[in-house]
Amino acid sequence: MLLKRADKLCGEVTVPGDKSISHRAVMFGSLALGTTRVTHFLQGADCLSTISCFRKMGIEIENNSDEILIHGKGLHGLCAPEGILDAGNSGTTTRLISGILSGQNFDVTLTGDASICKRPMKRIMTPLSMMGADITSINGNGCAPLLIKGTSLTGIHYDSPVASAQVKSSVLLAGLYADGITSVTEPFLSRNHTELMLHAFGANITSDGTTASIVPEPALHALEINVPGDISSAAYFIAAGLIVPNSEILIKNVGINPTRDGILRVALAMGGNITVMNKRTDGGEETADLLVKSSSLHGITIEGGIIPTLIDEIPVIAVMAAAADGTTTIKDAAELKVKESDRIAIVTDNLMKMGCDVTPTDDGMIITGGKSLHGATLDSCLDHRIAMSFAIAALIADGETHMKDAECVDISYPTFYSDLENLISKS
Ligand code: SPQ
């Protein structure tokens, strides 16, 4: 795809529903009794993979574009799928479903695309096995495909070495099927959508600092869920509004859950002009409208407990840092290496190709911004967040930028390019 410089971006945009929340709505709705109605559901390829897995396990799911109806059959209502379950490109689907499958009374093979088959699954296999789960990596490399033989489980306390919502959620979901209490403590609090939504479905789940605990209940009960706009998708327009001169963008209905709002805190700390308006709470999730105006940004250090709250936004934060005066240092983000691509390597490589002064480190990167960027031929490495981040970088680069496999944005934001184009053409 060919991407060009923009003089300014103006107008209003409503980003699609939150990917993490959309996945969980399908999973928990399938395990609840009754019909769960979900509006503003994300129709991205990852969430469609989750729908397809649960349909294969006998759950009727009506998908009427923005609204979906999940006819849940209760905690013990899933049935053995014919053939393998395919999670596509989705780490969330793979890791969360593994927790659910561990406690069923049937066996399943779970796999995904080439990227999923390289991502680490030992991080869930270890705690699930401690609970008694029978889960093996078929190729013996700690990755998918996984063979999961349903069995009875026992509650454990797990001290997770990583702040990962996928690890935490996988264990808590297995805890729905375990004898006794299951709890997880993580080094820093990761996104808490599982805790909030399971509680709304009637689960006996509590949180205390960085520990979440669940006690099994006989049933979950269907809900109405209105999915907030995805702050990870809004992040591209936050960055664009800040770094493209003369811009003003209103981003409507964005989820600002404090375990996800690191991008806002970082943008403000870099000197960004962002007004958070119309704050409200819907189904336990905070949302707001964001007014973003062009700003002179400066570099900062990003490290520690804020990292899990912005982990997926680091590629676009790196683009903001390239446009900012001074040095931005990103630390404690080694998790970036095991996402859809090695996001430390790809982000730094692509920024260098555009003329930015950037150094990769073991757990992040150091970016000295302020130099003008130039267009380049870039590879998305089939990673949606890389494609979208560098579409934003292209807006401030001299000349043309060519992005390979740009259509991979379908994973989380199928209308990304048309929404971006609308803001450019209104200028
Ligand atoms: O689902 P997947 O492929 O892992 O997606 C990503 C993304 O960029 O969209 C990560 F690559 O988001 C994860 C996120 O990084 C979604 C997620 C969740 O919904 O629980 C949690 C985070 O992953 P982790 O490993 O930190 O738990």
Side-chain angles (χ1 to χ4, degrees), residues 294-335:
S294 309
S295 307
S296 302
L297 301 181
H298 55 81
I300 59 168
T301 295
I302 307 168
E303 62 186 330
I306 199 170
I307 294 292
T309 73
L310 49 68
I311 189 74
D312 297 337
E313 288 67 74
I314 291 178
V316 80
I317 288 172
V319 170
M320 283 162 52
D325 280 336
T327 298
T328 295
T329 305
I330 301 171
K331 297 182 196 169
D332 303 322
E335 277 293 296

mmCIF file of all heavy atoms in Angstrom, residues 294-335:
data_model
loop_
_atom_site.group_PDB
_atom_site.id
_atom_site.type_symbol
_atom_site.label_atom_id
_atom_site.label_comp_id
_atom_site.label_asym_id
_atom_site.label_seq_id
_atom_site.Cartn_x
_atom_site.Cartn_y
_atom_site.Cartn_z
ATOM 1 N N SER A 294 -2.928 19.149 17.704
ATOM 2 C CA SER A 294 -1.479 19.119 17.406
ATOM 3 C C SER A 294 -0.689 19.728 18.549
ATOM 4 O O SER A 294 -1.100 20.735 19.118
ATOM 5 C CB SER A 294 -1.160 19.966 16.177
ATOM 6 O OG SER A 294 -1.984 19.616 15.140
ATOM 7 N N SER A 295 0.440 19.127 18.839
ATOM 8 C CA SER A 295 1.223 19.566 20.002
ATOM 9 C C SER A 295 2.712 19.430 19.712
ATOM 10 O O SER A 295 3.123 18.620 18.878
ATOM 11 C CB SER A 295 0.903 18.678 21.209
ATOM 12 O OG SER A 295 -0.483 18.615 21.442
ATOM 13 N N SER A 296 3.517 20.203 20.450
ATOM 14 C CA SER A 296 4.984 19.997 20.397
ATOM 15 C C SER A 296 5.302 18.998 21.488
ATOM 16 O O SER A 296 5.129 19.290 22.672
ATOM 17 C CB SER A 296 5.727 21.288 20.719
ATOM 18 O OG SER A 296 5.339 22.264 19.816
ATOM 19 N N LEU A 297 5.751 17.830 21.088
ATOM 20 C CA LEU A 297 6.012 16.769 22.072
ATOM 21 C C LEU A 297 7.472 16.771 22.484
ATOM 22 O O LEU A 297 8.341 17.204 21.726
ATOM 23 C CB LEU A 297 5.646 15.408 21.469
ATOM 24 C CG LEU A 297 4.192 15.229 21.011
ATOM 25 C CD1 LEU A 297 3.993 13.810 20.449
ATOM 26 C CD2 LEU A 297 3.201 15.497 22.144
ATOM 27 N N HIS A 298 7.732 16.256 23.686
ATOM 28 C CA HIS A 298 9.120 16.069 24.116
ATOM 29 C C HIS A 298 9.302 14.649 24.651
ATOM 30 O O HIS A 298 8.346 14.022 25.109
ATOM 31 C CB HIS A 298 9.515 17.115 25.177
ATOM 32 C CG HIS A 298 8.602 17.131 26.364
ATOM 33 N ND1 HIS A 298 8.713 16.234 27.386
ATOM 34 C CD2 HIS A 298 7.534 17.913 26.665
ATOM 35 C CE1 HIS A 298 7.772 16.465 28.273
ATOM 36 N NE2 HIS A 298 7.021 17.479 27.865
ATOM 37 N N GLY A 299 10.541 14.155 24.605
ATOM 38 C CA GLY A 299 10.821 12.775 25.008
ATOM 39 C C GLY A 299 10.664 12.558 26.511
ATOM 40 O O GLY A 299 10.796 13.502 27.297
ATOM 41 N N ILE A 300 10.361 11.329 26.901
ATOM 42 C CA ILE A 300 10.246 10.952 28.316
ATOM 43 C C ILE A 300 10.798 9.526 28.496
ATOM 44 O O ILE A 300 11.094 8.855 27.505
ATOM 45 C CB ILE A 300 8.785 10.990 28.832
ATOM 46 C CG1 ILE A 300 7.882 10.047 28.023
ATOM 47 C CG2 ILE A 300 8.224 12.398 28.835
ATOM 48 C CD1 ILE A 300 6.517 9.813 28.649
ATOM 49 N N THR A 301 10.858 9.067 29.748
ATOM 50 C CA THR A 301 11.194 7.660 30.014
ATOM 51 C C THR A 301 9.910 6.926 30.385
ATOM 52 O O THR A 301 9.113 7.421 31.184
ATOM 53 C CB THR A 301 12.220 7.566 31.166
ATOM 54 O OG1 THR A 301 13.424 8.185 30.701
ATOM 55 C CG2 THR A 301 12.523 6.120 31.535
ATOM 56 N N ILE A 302 9.708 5.748 29.767
ATOM 57 C CA ILE A 302 8.491 4.953 30.011
ATOM 58 C C ILE A 302 8.952 3.603 30.538
ATOM 59 O O ILE A 302 9.672 2.877 29.835
ATOM 60 C CB ILE A 302 7.690 4.794 28.699
ATOM 61 C CG1 ILE A 302 7.439 6.173 28.053
ATOM 62 C CG2 ILE A 302 6.366 4.070 28.947
ATOM 63 C CD1 ILE A 302 6.908 6.092 26.625
ATOM 64 N N GLU A 303 8.558 3.262 31.759
ATOM 65 C CA GLU A 303 9.078 2.030 32.381
ATOM 66 C C GLU A 303 8.169 1.590 33.518
ATOM 67 O O GLU A 303 7.307 2.345 33.976
ATOM 68 C CB GLU A 303 10.484 2.297 32.938
ATOM 69 C CG GLU A 303 10.482 3.350 34.025
ATOM 70 C CD GLU A 303 11.867 3.743 34.513
ATOM 71 O OE1 GLU A 303 12.794 2.910 34.478
ATOM 72 O OE2 GLU A 303 12.019 4.896 34.945
ATOM 73 N N GLY A 304 8.350 0.354 33.999
ATOM 74 C CA GLY A 304 7.691 -0.129 35.212
ATOM 75 C C GLY A 304 6.215 -0.434 35.021
ATOM 76 O O GLY A 304 5.775 -0.931 33.980
ATOM 77 N N GLY A 305 5.431 -0.111 36.046
ATOM 78 C CA GLY A 305 4.029 -0.526 36.115
ATOM 79 C C GLY A 305 3.136 0.025 35.024
ATOM 80 O O GLY A 305 2.058 -0.521 34.765
ATOM 81 N N ILE A 306 3.576 1.102 34.343
ATOM 82 C CA ILE A 306 2.737 1.658 33.274
ATOM 83 C C ILE A 306 2.795 0.771 32.009
ATOM 84 O O ILE A 306 1.875 0.794 31.188
ATOM 85 C CB ILE A 306 3.137 3.125 32.953
ATOM 86 C CG1 ILE A 306 1.978 3.827 32.198
ATOM 87 C CG2 ILE A 306 4.431 3.198 32.164
ATOM 88 C CD1 ILE A 306 2.143 5.323 32.047
ATOM 89 N N ILE A 307 3.860 -0.043 31.893
ATOM 90 C CA ILE A 307 4.076 -0.801 30.653
ATOM 91 C C ILE A 307 2.890 -1.702 30.291
ATOM 92 O O ILE A 307 2.394 -1.654 29.151
ATOM 93 C CB ILE A 307 5.425 -1.577 30.697
ATOM 94 C CG1 ILE A 307 6.605 -0.594 30.713
ATOM 95 C CG2 ILE A 307 5.553 -2.578 29.533
ATOM 96 C CD1 ILE A 307 6.836 0.221 29.444
ATOM 97 N N PRO A 308 2.348 -2.532 31.229
ATOM 98 C CA PRO A 308 1.213 -3.382 30.817
ATOM 99 C C PRO A 308 -0.010 -2.577 30.381
ATOM 100 O O PRO A 308 -0.847 -3.096 29.644
ATOM 101 C CB PRO A 308 0.889 -4.197 32.083
ATOM 102 C CG PRO A 308 2.070 -4.081 32.964
ATOM 103 C CD PRO A 308 2.774 -2.809 32.613
ATOM 104 N N THR A 309 -0.112 -1.329 30.816
ATOM 105 C CA THR A 309 -1.298 -0.524 30.461
ATOM 106 C C THR A 309 -1.186 0.101 29.069
ATOM 107 O O THR A 309 -2.135 0.754 28.612
ATOM 108 C CB THR A 309 -1.548 0.597 31.498
ATOM 109 O OG1 THR A 309 -0.557 1.621 31.330
ATOM 110 C CG2 THR A 309 -1.507 0.075 32.925
ATOM 111 N N LEU A 310 -0.022 -0.083 28.415
ATOM 112 C CA LEU A 310 0.155 0.487 27.073
ATOM 113 C C LEU A 310 0.953 -0.433 26.158
ATOM 114 O O LEU A 310 1.480 0.002 25.135
ATOM 115 C CB LEU A 310 0.809 1.890 27.144
ATOM 116 C CG LEU A 310 2.058 2.075 28.002
ATOM 117 C CD1 LEU A 310 3.278 1.374 27.486
ATOM 118 C CD2 LEU A 310 2.341 3.541 28.194
ATOM 119 N N ILE A 311 1.034 -1.725 26.543
ATOM 120 C CA ILE A 311 1.961 -2.626 25.842
ATOM 121 C C ILE A 311 1.701 -2.664 24.326
ATOM 122 O O ILE A 311 2.631 -2.641 23.530
ATOM 123 C CB ILE A 311 1.940 -4.054 26.475
ATOM 124 C CG1 ILE A 311 3.044 -4.927 25.897
ATOM 125 C CG2 ILE A 311 0.575 -4.729 26.353
ATOM 126 C CD1 ILE A 311 4.405 -4.607 26.371
ATOM 127 N N ASP A 312 0.415 -2.664 23.924
ATOM 128 C CA ASP A 312 0.119 -2.764 22.484
ATOM 129 C C ASP A 312 0.274 -1.422 21.766
ATOM 130 O O ASP A 312 0.249 -1.369 20.530
ATOM 131 C CB ASP A 312 -1.310 -3.299 22.278
ATOM 132 C CG ASP A 312 -1.463 -4.709 22.825
ATOM 133 O OD1 ASP A 312 -0.437 -5.417 22.943
ATOM 134 O OD2 ASP A 312 -2.600 -5.098 23.139
ATOM 135 N N GLU A 313 0.408 -0.348 22.542
ATOM 136 C CA GLU A 313 0.527 0.991 21.944
ATOM 137 C C GLU A 313 1.988 1.405 21.754
ATOM 138 O O GLU A 313 2.275 2.476 21.206
ATOM 139 C CB GLU A 313 -0.200 2.030 22.826
ATOM 140 C CG GLU A 313 -1.703 1.943 22.781
ATOM 141 C CD GLU A 313 -2.251 0.652 23.407
ATOM 142 O OE1 GLU A 313 -2.256 0.507 24.635
ATOM 143 O OE2 GLU A 313 -2.661 -0.238 22.623
ATOM 144 N N ILE A 314 2.942 0.570 22.221
ATOM 145 C CA ILE A 314 4.351 0.989 22.143
ATOM 146 C C ILE A 314 4.792 1.248 20.696
ATOM 147 O O ILE A 314 5.498 2.230 20.443
ATOM 148 C CB ILE A 314 5.270 0.007 22.913
ATOM 149 C CG1 ILE A 314 4.979 0.172 24.417
ATOM 150 C CG2 ILE A 314 6.740 0.261 22.604
ATOM 151 C CD1 ILE A 314 5.755 -0.748 25.336
ATOM 152 N N PRO A 315 4.363 0.460 19.702
ATOM 153 C CA PRO A 315 4.787 0.806 18.335
ATOM 154 C C PRO A 315 4.385 2.230 17.926
ATOM 155 O O PRO A 315 5.191 2.963 17.338
ATOM 156 C CB PRO A 315 4.086 -0.260 17.471
ATOM 157 C CG PRO A 315 3.960 -1.441 18.392
ATOM 158 C CD PRO A 315 3.672 -0.850 19.754
ATOM 159 N N VAL A 316 3.172 2.654 18.286
ATOM 160 C CA VAL A 316 2.760 4.002 17.865
ATOM 161 C C VAL A 316 3.336 5.060 18.808
ATOM 162 O O VAL A 316 3.595 6.202 18.392
ATOM 163 C CB VAL A 316 1.222 4.105 17.689
ATOM 164 C CG1 VAL A 316 0.482 4.278 18.992
ATOM 165 C CG2 VAL A 316 0.883 5.234 16.716
ATOM 166 N N ILE A 317 3.611 4.691 20.060
ATOM 167 C CA ILE A 317 4.313 5.621 20.966
ATOM 168 C C ILE A 317 5.722 5.874 20.417
ATOM 169 O O ILE A 317 6.230 7.000 20.467
ATOM 170 C CB ILE A 317 4.347 5.062 22.409
ATOM 171 C CG1 ILE A 317 2.940 5.139 23.031
ATOM 172 C CG2 ILE A 317 5.367 5.816 23.273
ATOM 173 C CD1 ILE A 317 2.788 4.445 24.379
ATOM 174 N N ALA A 318 6.329 4.845 19.847
ATOM 175 C CA ALA A 318 7.670 5.011 19.254
ATOM 176 C C ALA A 318 7.610 6.019 18.100
ATOM 177 O O ALA A 318 8.536 6.818 17.907
ATOM 178 C CB ALA A 318 8.195 3.662 18.769
ATOM 179 N N VAL A 319 6.516 5.988 17.339
ATOM 180 C CA VAL A 319 6.354 6.957 16.238
ATOM 181 C C VAL A 319 6.200 8.369 16.819
ATOM 182 O O VAL A 319 6.789 9.334 16.311
ATOM 183 C CB VAL A 319 5.135 6.562 15.359
ATOM 184 C CG1 VAL A 319 4.797 7.665 14.361
ATOM 185 C CG2 VAL A 319 5.410 5.230 14.642
ATOM 186 N N MET A 320 5.422 8.490 17.904
ATOM 187 C CA MET A 320 5.297 9.799 18.565
ATOM 188 C C MET A 320 6.673 10.275 19.046
ATOM 189 O O MET A 320 7.013 11.460 18.928
ATOM 190 C CB MET A 320 4.348 9.699 19.773
ATOM 191 C CG MET A 320 2.880 9.655 19.396
ATOM 192 S SD MET A 320 1.824 9.025 20.752
ATOM 193 C CE MET A 320 2.288 10.031 22.124
ATOM 194 N N ALA A 321 7.455 9.337 19.585
ATOM 195 C CA ALA A 321 8.792 9.690 20.103
ATOM 196 C C ALA A 321 9.699 10.172 18.978
ATOM 197 O O ALA A 321 10.534 11.064 19.176
ATOM 198 C CB ALA A 321 9.403 8.486 20.807
ATOM 199 N N ALA A 322 9.533 9.598 17.781
ATOM 200 C CA ALA A 322 10.356 10.015 16.632
ATOM 201 C C ALA A 322 10.035 11.463 16.247
ATOM 202 O O ALA A 322 10.882 12.181 15.716
ATOM 203 C CB ALA A 322 10.105 9.079 15.454
ATOM 204 N N ALA A 323 8.785 11.886 16.532
ATOM 205 C CA ALA A 323 8.380 13.252 16.196
ATOM 206 C C ALA A 323 8.646 14.227 17.338
ATOM 207 O O ALA A 323 8.487 15.435 17.170
ATOM 208 C CB ALA A 323 6.884 13.264 15.862
ATOM 209 N N ALA A 324 9.017 13.693 18.507
ATOM 210 C CA ALA A 324 9.188 14.540 19.696
ATOM 211 C C ALA A 324 10.612 15.070 19.785
ATOM 212 O O ALA A 324 11.544 14.450 19.281
ATOM 213 C CB ALA A 324 8.873 13.709 20.944
ATOM 214 N N ASP A 325 10.782 16.201 20.476
ATOM 215 C CA ASP A 325 12.134 16.708 20.738
ATOM 216 C C ASP A 325 12.762 15.897 21.857
ATOM 217 O O ASP A 325 12.077 15.568 22.837
ATOM 218 C CB ASP A 325 12.054 18.175 21.200
ATOM 219 C CG ASP A 325 11.888 19.100 20.014
ATOM 220 O OD1 ASP A 325 12.277 18.694 18.892
ATOM 221 O OD2 ASP A 325 11.339 20.198 20.205
ATOM 222 N N GLY A 326 14.039 15.579 21.724
ATOM 223 C CA GLY A 326 14.744 14.895 22.812
ATOM 224 C C GLY A 326 14.599 13.387 22.751
ATOM 225 O O GLY A 326 14.132 12.826 21.758
ATOM 226 N N THR A 327 15.002 12.749 23.848
ATOM 227 C CA THR A 327 15.130 11.284 23.859
ATOM 228 C C THR A 327 13.982 10.646 24.636
ATOM 229 O O THR A 327 13.633 11.091 25.725
ATOM 230 C CB THR A 327 16.481 10.897 24.490
ATOM 231 O OG1 THR A 327 17.508 11.455 23.661
ATOM 232 C CG2 THR A 327 16.665 9.386 24.556
ATOM 233 N N THR A 328 13.412 9.597 24.047
ATOM 234 C CA THR A 328 12.431 8.765 24.745
ATOM 235 C C THR A 328 13.066 7.411 24.979
ATOM 236 O O THR A 328 13.589 6.793 24.046
ATOM 237 C CB THR A 328 11.147 8.619 23.907
ATOM 238 O OG1 THR A 328 10.537 9.910 23.788
ATOM 239 C CG2 THR A 328 10.149 7.652 24.563
ATOM 240 N N THR A 329 13.021 6.947 26.234
ATOM 241 C CA THR A 329 13.568 5.625 26.577
ATOM 242 C C THR A 329 12.411 4.734 27.011
ATOM 243 O O THR A 329 11.641 5.110 27.901
ATOM 244 C CB THR A 329 14.603 5.761 27.711
ATOM 245 O OG1 THR A 329 15.583 6.709 27.293
ATOM 246 C CG2 THR A 329 15.271 4.432 28.016
ATOM 247 N N ILE A 330 12.292 3.582 26.370
ATOM 248 C CA ILE A 330 11.252 2.612 26.739
ATOM 249 C C ILE A 330 11.953 1.397 27.328
ATOM 250 O O ILE A 330 12.817 0.794 26.682
ATOM 251 C CB ILE A 330 10.397 2.224 25.512
ATOM 252 C CG1 ILE A 330 9.734 3.477 24.928
ATOM 253 C CG2 ILE A 330 9.347 1.169 25.897
ATOM 254 C CD1 ILE A 330 9.039 3.267 23.591
ATOM 255 N N LYS A 331 11.609 1.065 28.594
ATOM 256 C CA LYS A 331 12.254 -0.060 29.308
ATOM 257 C C LYS A 331 11.182 -1.020 29.803
ATOM 258 O O LYS A 331 10.010 -0.671 29.852
ATOM 259 C CB LYS A 331 12.979 0.460 30.551
ATOM 260 C CG LYS A 331 14.099 1.406 30.329
ATOM 261 C CD LYS A 331 14.696 1.736 31.703
ATOM 262 C CE LYS A 331 15.574 2.968 31.617
ATOM 263 N NZ LYS A 331 15.957 3.456 32.924
ATOM 264 N N ASP A 332 11.598 -2.192 30.272
ATOM 265 C CA ASP A 332 10.701 -3.178 30.914
ATOM 266 C C ASP A 332 9.639 -3.705 29.949
ATOM 267 O O ASP A 332 8.551 -4.109 30.379
ATOM 268 C CB ASP A 332 9.997 -2.581 32.155
ATOM 269 C CG ASP A 332 10.990 -2.061 33.183
ATOM 270 O OD1 ASP A 332 12.035 -2.716 33.364
ATOM 271 O OD2 ASP A 332 10.720 -1.011 33.795
ATOM 272 N N ALA A 333 9.927 -3.696 28.667
ATOM 273 C CA ALA A 333 8.919 -4.089 27.677
ATOM 274 C C ALA A 333 9.404 -5.267 26.827
ATOM 275 O O ALA A 333 9.087 -5.355 25.635
ATOM 276 C CB ALA A 333 8.560 -2.888 26.799
ATOM 277 N N ALA A 334 10.153 -6.209 27.442
ATOM 278 C CA ALA A 334 10.659 -7.375 26.698
ATOM 279 C C ALA A 334 9.507 -8.194 26.107
ATOM 280 O O ALA A 334 9.691 -8.910 25.113
ATOM 281 C CB ALA A 334 11.515 -8.247 27.607
ATOM 282 N N GLU A 335 8.306 -8.091 26.700
ATOM 283 C CA GLU A 335 7.129 -8.807 26.179
ATOM 284 C C GLU A 335 6.864 -8.487 24.705
ATOM 285 O O GLU A 335 6.242 -9.270 23.982
ATOM 286 C CB GLU A 335 5.894 -8.426 26.997
ATOM 287 C CG GLU A 335 5.757 -9.214 28.284
ATOM 288 C CD GLU A 335 5.467 -10.684 28.024
ATOM 289 O OE1 GLU A 335 4.419 -10.980 27.469
ATOM 290 O OE2 GLU A 335 6.311 -11.523 28.367
#
